[in-house]
Amino acid sequence: MRTKSHQREYFFDSIRAWLMLLGVPFHVSLIYSSHQWSVNSAEPSLWLTVFNDFIHAFRMQVFFVISGYFSFMLWLRYAPREWWKVRVERVGIPMLSAIPLITLPQFFILKEWTGKITGWPQFSAYEKYNTLVWELTSHLWFLLVLVIFTSLGLVLFRRLHAAEQNQTTAPGWLILTLAVLFYSLCWGAFRRLIFIFQPALLTDGLFNFAIMQTLFYLPFFWLGALAWRNPALKARFVRFNPWTLIGSALAFFAYMANQRYSSGEGWMYEIDAVVSMLMGLWMVNVVFSFGHRFLNAHSARITWLVNASLFIYLVHHPLTLLYGIFITPHIHNNALGFIAGLLFVFGIAFVLYEIHLRIPLLRFLFSGRKARP
């Protein structure tokens, strides 16, 4: 095990927790948005659609920057194989535990109480397999991507560590923007080639999660590792630049326009990649600077949320579906339904979190960490 101390940066922990917890209002607002989901309200809400789009446009990009940052920091503390084992346990065990305990019951909820999965007995063997991949992976996809990034990190981090250490400069926002723009165009070209020559791959769940999502978020994970490696780059991310706020606002308007006026048979997904990657990059500065200004302090309450955030995210999805199926039809005001949904999901998730803390096996399964003697 390597030894390398590093001062705790509370704002990164807080941002990561809040981004994780934003999954709850994201999915609850999805019920009331104009987007087709497993469960929808009778009438969509414009402001909840905009709210839902805003969260979706940047949240996971920023999350993976923080993941890359912490992953490289931990890589410096452990031998490579030990680091891989520790990281895979912490993300892989919760993912594998959540499949039989959360997403499998969720699959039966969708199959029996919604119209999302119809005609199951008539499905071919591949259709059943592919449906199960989509539904059992479900909202756990980011854990699968983190496992893949951890494996890639065995090679990438070794090369990063071998690079020049005393870096006092960092690329400016224009260079960063052009680099991400170029990568997004490459991603879009790759997807377009698949669409032309092997379109069936784009409906394959495993290919989407393991290849397309991994490639989409790879530059953000890498930027996070670079930010730890290069203090000047980290300082650039943390120091507020008003142009990134303006860029994020313009990108968000472009994102909404693309969602409403493009189609899946056209260039919707390629445009989405360009806009979302650019907005994700610029929102790194907005979120990091805001977090550094307001969240960079130790707090027992925030520590509790940080520790609870992964568990709450894992259990919130079936709770949201149950709320949408059984309660949403009885609340005819969308704003009231949204608030009630948040109270329902968060309230039950908090209780379940406290219960699971008192059961050592569940605590291990949902954290990947063994109980200390």
Side-chain angles (χ1 to χ4, degrees), residues 64-354:
F64 277 108
V65 172
I66 297 177
S67 296
Y69 183 89
F70 281 126
S71 292
F72 186 67
M73 180 181 70
L74 289 174
W75 187 87
L76 294 173
R77 295 181 183 177
Y78 295 92
R81 290 185 180 180
E82 186 181 4
W83 170 80
W84 184 87
K85 180 176 180 293
V86 169
R87 291 299 297 160
V88 169
E89 285 179 349
R90 291 185 182 178
V91 297
I93 291 175
M95 180 184 71
L96 294 176
S97 301
I99 290 174
L101 297 176
I102 295 176
T103 57
L104 182 59
Q106 178 179 284
F107 166 77
F108 287 106
I109 290 173
L110 291 171
K111 184 171 174 290
E112 298 300 326
W113 293 333
T114 74
K116 184 176 183 180
I117 303 172
T118 57
W120 176 262
Q122 288 75 45
F123 281 11
S124 67
Y126 172 75
E127 288 173 332
K128 290 181 178 180
Y129 153 79
N130 195 37
T131 301
L132 286 172
V133 170
W134 281 106
E135 300 306 333
L136 297 188
T137 306
S138 184
H139 63 298
L140 311 178
W141 66 267
F142 77 100
L143 294 175
L144 174 61
V145 172
L146 282 176
V147 170
I148 296 172
F149 283 159
T150 300
S151 299
L152 291 175
L154 289 172
V155 176
L156 296 177
F157 288 173
R158 186 181 298 112
R159 294 183 178 180
L160 179 60
H161 186 60
E164 181 185 356
Q165 299 211 14
N166 297 320
Q167 301 181 47
T168 58
T169 61
W173 283 108
L174 177 59
I175 299 300
L176 290 170
T177 297
L178 291 176
V180 171
L181 174 62
F182 175 75
Y183 185 90
S184 67
L185 292 173
C186 291
W187 188 96
F190 177 61
R191 186 194 181 279
R192 179 54 49 168
L193 288 173
I194 296 172
F195 180 77
I196 294 172
F197 295 106
Q198 290 292 335
L201 275 178
L202 297 177
T203 61
D204 185 272
L206 185 59
F207 180 82
N208 272 272
F209 293 133
I211 304 298
M212 300 306 291
Q213 294 287 66
T214 296
L215 290 176
F216 186 94
Y217 291 105
L218 180 60
F220 299 97
F221 186 80
W222 183 243
L223 275 175
L226 287 174
W228 203 102
R229 189 70 175 74
N230 185 350
L233 180 60
K234 174 188 167 184
R236 190 175 302 284
F237 285 163
V238 171
R239 185 172 57 251
F240 176 68
N241 185 320
W243 288 108
T244 62
L245 179 61
I246 295 172
S248 297
L250 294 175
F252 179 55
F253 284 120
Y255 176 87
M256 290 193 299
N258 184 51
Q259 290 289 315
R260 282 149 185 77
Y261 301 114
S262 298
S263 67
E265 293 75 21
W267 294 85
M268 175 180 178
Y269 295 105
E270 290 81 3
I271 295 172
D272 181 271
V274 173
V275 174
S276 296
M277 287 192 191
L278 289 175
M279 183 174 176
L281 171 68
W282 296 328
M283 283 298 291
V284 167
N285 179 239
V286 175
V287 173
F288 280 18
S289 58
F290 177 88
H292 188 263
R293 174 67 178 83
F294 296 103
L295 301 175
N296 197 23
H298 176 67
S299 164
R301 192 172 301 171
I302 294 298
T303 299
W304 186 90
L305 282 176
V306 169
N307 293 332
S309 59
L310 176 58
F311 179 89
I312 291 171
Y313 181 83
L314 292 178
V315 303
H316 89 279
H317 203 264
L319 292 175
T320 304
L321 288 173
L322 290 173
Y323 176 82
I325 293 168
F326 294 108
I327 301 179
T328 293
H330 303 288
I331 302 178
H332 303 293
N333 182 285
N334 285 340
L336 179 61
F338 173 67
I339 294 172
L342 293 181
L343 294 175
F344 177 89
V345 175
F346 273 123
I348 296 177
F350 288 156
V351 172
L352 291 176
Y353 174 70
E354 287 296 328

Side-chain angles (χ1 to χ4, degrees), residues 29-74:
S29 64
L30 197 53
I31 296 174
Y32 299 97
S33 73
S34 59
H35 301 297
Q36 190 66 33
W37 197 47
S38 305
V39 184
N40 286 106
S41 59
E43 295 292 334
S45 165
L46 175 60
W47 78 268
L48 285 171
T49 301
V50 173
F51 176 75
N52 183 269
D53 283 346
F54 177 70
I55 295 175
H56 189 257
F58 78 92
R59 181 173 68 102
M60 295 310 298
Q61 295 91 304
V62 179
F63 173 85
F64 277 108
V65 172
I66 297 177
S67 296
Y69 183 89
F70 281 126
S71 292
F72 186 67
M73 180 181 70
L74 289 174

